[in-house]
Amino acid sequence: MPQFLATTDADFETRFQALLTMKREDAPDVDEAVAAIIADVRARGDAAVTELTARFDRLELTPDRMRVTEDEIEEAVARVPEAERDALTLAADRIRAYHARQMPEDARWTDEAGATLGWRWGAVDAAGLYVPGGLASYPSSVLMNAVPARVAGVRRLVMCVPAPDGVLNPLVLLAAQLSGVDEVYRIGGAQAVAAMAYGTETIASVDKITGPGNAYVAAAKRRVFGRVGIDMIAGPSEILVIADAENDPDWIAVDLLSQAEHDESAQSILITDDAVFGRAVAAAVDARLETLERRAIAGASWRDFGAVVTVRDLTEAATLSNRIAPEHLELAVAEPDALAERITHAGAIFLGQWTPEAIGDYIGGPNHVLPTARSARFSSGLSVMDFLKRTTLARMTPESLRAIGPAAVTLAGSESLEAHGLSVQARLDRLNRP
Amino acid sequence: MPQFLATTDADFETRFQALLTMKREDAPDVDEAVAAIIADVRARGDAAVTELTARFDRLELTPDRMRVTEDEIEEAVARVPEAERDALTLAADRIRAYHARQMPEDARWTDEAGATLGWRWGAVDAAGLYVPGGLASYPSSVLMNAVPARVAGVRRLVMCVPAPDGVLNPLVLLAAQLSGVDEVYRIGGAQAVAAMAYGTETIASVDKITGPGNAYVAAAKRRVFGRVGIDMIAGPSEILVIADAENDPDWIAVDLLSQAEHDESAQSILITDDAVFGRAVAAAVDARLETLERRAIAGASWRDFGAVVTVRDLTEAATLSNRIAPEHLELAVAEPDALAERITHAGAIFLGQWTPEAIGDYIGGPNHVLPTARSARFSSGLSVMDFLKRTTLARMTPESLRAIGPAAVTLAGSESLEAHGLSVQARLDRLNRP
C-alpha cells in the first residue's frame, strides 16, 4: 500500500520530509571493477574490449566484427513491421522539430567603450551514445539522445549497444538509422564507455558520451568525465501528478503506473485537493495492478515508494511540488497553465488531462532524458545544448583599451599578478608615447 | 627553456602529441580525508565546521561568528582605496552587461498536430560561491561567479571564504557587495562545501556550488555533485597565442607570462608562422623573467610546459589550435576575425594585438572561468546558463492526442511498457466512444 498523507495531519511535515529524502536505490559499488576495465581498455584497446565482451555478453568478437555493418543494419531494419516504422519515424520527426527550436543564437556587439564582444556556439566534433542491451534497449532513448546531437551539428555520431548472446534489437538499429548515427558497435558496459572515451584501434575516441546504462556504465561515465563530457547520471524515474477531482481515477492510475512499471525503485506520487478522489485513484491502481504485465515491478514500486498526498488547495500542491522538484509533473487540473505559473522546479510539465506523461516519453517532441532525484532544482533535461559549447569573443581597439585598460592594470596589481598588468600596460605605454 | 617545435620537423607529430597529452598536475589524493570531513559536517553541522576551521585555518569560531556581519563588511570595504573601488565597480558593471545578454528566451508554440509545446527557464533558488583564502583570494573571481548568478535571478547567494588566522581580503568583500552576495561565511575547505551542500544550523543549504579551490575543495565538489549542482573542476590555466611577425615580441612575451605566473603547472604556447619571431619572443620572455615578481613560478611554468611552435601558415596554426582546444586563445594577427572563423574549439578568443588576455580576466565582460585541459572540445565557460534550468512544456488537446497518440501506443508496445500505452489508450478510448 502506498503512503497516504494530508497536509492537515499533525505529523505531515515529518512524513513529507521522509518522503523527500527516502533512499530508493542501493547502487552497487562497482567502482574498482570499472577502474580496472577502463585501465585495461586504455592499455590494450580492441583486445581488451573483445575479451570483456566474450566474458560479459557471451559474444565472441574479432575487432573487424565489432562494428555492425550497413548490410546488417539494413537487414534488421527490413524486419521492423510498418506500424512500428511509421511510429518511430513520426517520433524522430517530432523530436527533431522540437530540438531544432533550441538552437541558440550567436551574438556580437560593440559597446559604449568601443570593445567588440560576443560569443559563438559550435558543436562537439564527435559524440558517443550508449544504449543498454536486452530488455532496457529502448529505441525511444536512441532518438532522444541521437537526434539532439545531429540537430546540434555533431559531425560524427557513434553508438555502442551490447548484443548479449549476439542479439540486437532491430528497432534500436532503425532508430539509429532514422536519427543519423554514423557508426554502431555491438559492445557494451564499462568497456564500451572506455573505448569511446579513449579510443581503440577500431573505434576513434569521441568528445562527449551520453545515454543511460546500468551501474557499470554509470560508474564508467563518472570516471571518464573530464577526458570527455558526459550527460547526467540518471536515477530511477519519477512522476508527480497533481489532479483535482474532475478526473477519471483510472486515467490518473495508469499515469502513475506508467512510471512505476519502469523499475521497482521508481516513484509515483499523486497530490490532490480531494481525499476521496485520492482513495479512488489508489483503488484504480490496485485494479489495474491485477492484470498489468509488469505488475510485479509496478506493484513493488507503488507499495514501497508510492504516495497519495491530500492538500487544502492547489497553491499548496504547487509548493509541495517545488520541494519535490519532480522529473515528470502532470497537471491534471482545470487550469493547468495557471498552476504551471507557480511551478519553479520540474524537468517536464504535462499540461491538462489530455497530456499523459507517456506522450513525452515517445512522441511529444521534448526530450525524455530528464533530471531525477530532485536535481530539477539545478539541472535540465537533455537538449541540443548538451552537444554545443560556447566560445566567448572580445576585441579591443586602441581607444577601448585606453578606456578600460587602466582598470585592468589596477586590478592585476590588487591581485599581485604583475605580468597581467604588464600585458595591458605595455600596450597603453605605446598609446601614450608622444 | 621551453620546447621549440616546427611542423616541418620530421618528429613534429610525435612531439606535438606529447605536448597535447603531457600531464601537468599531480592532484594529491585527498578523497578519503574529504569523505570524512563531509560525513562529519552532515552529522554534526556547525560543531564540525567550527572544529575543522580551528584546525585548518587556525581560527576559533563560534557558530554566531561564522557569518561576516554587515558592519564588518562595511568596515573592510571602507578601507579599499578609491582607484581599486572604481576599477572593481567598472569590472562588475561590464561583466553584468555582458552576462545580461546571455539570458535565454522562453518558447511556446502550437504545432501542426495541435500540440502546444515549449520550455521555460528558471533560476536555481540558492547558489553558493566558494572563494579561496590567502594569496589566491581573487576579487575578480568573486565577480565572475556571483554576477552571472545574480543576473540569472538566483534569489539567495551565499559565499564562503576561509579567513586563515582571521584575515579576510577587503577587496573580496567589496566584490561580494558589488555583485549582491547575500551571506558571507568565513569558512573554507571541504567543510565549507559540505556546509553549503547539506546545510548546518547556521547555513541553509544551497542548490548549486561554483568557484575555484584547492584539491580538497575540488574533491568535495565532486562528492556533493548530485546532491547539488557544481560548475566545472578547473585545471591549471593555459594560453595559446597565435602571432604573426607583425607584433612586438615583448607584448607577446608578457601575454605568455600572464598565464605562466598563475601557477607552475600553467601552460603558455606560442604558434607563429615566423621562426625568427618565435625566437625573439622567447628572448623577450627571458628578459622579462629577470625582473618579474613571480619569476620563480612563471619561469618554472615556461621552462617545463612552455612551447614555441613554428607553422607554415596560419591555416596550419588554426588546425593545431583546434587540437589543443585552449582555454584562452589570442589571435595577434592582421586579420583575426578571418582566423577566428577557422577556430572550432576554444574557451575564449581574444582578437587582435590590442586585446591581451588579461583584459578578459578582469574587465572585458566575458567570464574568466573557462574550460581547461582540452575540455573546450565539449564544454563552455561559466555563464548565466549555469544558474538556470529549463522545464519543458507539452499540452495535448483531444484532437492532437488523436493525431499522435496511436504512435505512442505502438512504441510503448514495442518497448513492452504496457502502462505507458494504457495511459494514452484510455484517453483515446474515451474519444472514440460514440
Side-chain angles (χ1 to χ4, degrees), chain B residues 64-84:
Chain B
D64 62 308
R65 285 278 302 145
M66 276 163 51
R67 182 159 173 183
V68 182
T69 66
E70 281 306 312
D71 285 352
E72 288 175 294
I73 293 172
E74 285 299 343
E75 196 190 325
V77 158
R79 296 202 310 270
V80 175
E82 198 178 337
E84 287 176 289

Side-chain angles (χ1 to χ4, degrees), chain B residues 122-210:
Chain B
V124 301
D125 282 340
L129 162 57
Y130 188 86
V131 179
L135 263 187
S137 184
Y138 294 140
S140 58
S141 287
V142 175
L143 298 183
M144 292 293 179
N145 282 271
V147 170
R150 262 284 109 93
V151 170
V154 171
R155 275 185 291 179
R156 177 173 163 257
L157 191 47
V158 173
M159 181 174 118
C160 285
V161 53
D165 301 308
V167 178
L168 284 173
N169 179 344
L171 273 165
V172 162
L173 295 177
L174 176 57
Q177 196 182 59
L178 288 173
S179 46
V181 171
D182 298 300
E183 304 163 22
V184 180
Y185 298 94
R186 66 187 105 228
I187 61 173
Q191 58 274 23
V193 174
M196 289 195 282
Y198 290 97
T200 70
E201 301 90 321
T202 300
I203 304 174
S205 63
V206 303
D207 303 295
K208 175 109 187 183
I209 298 176
T210 71

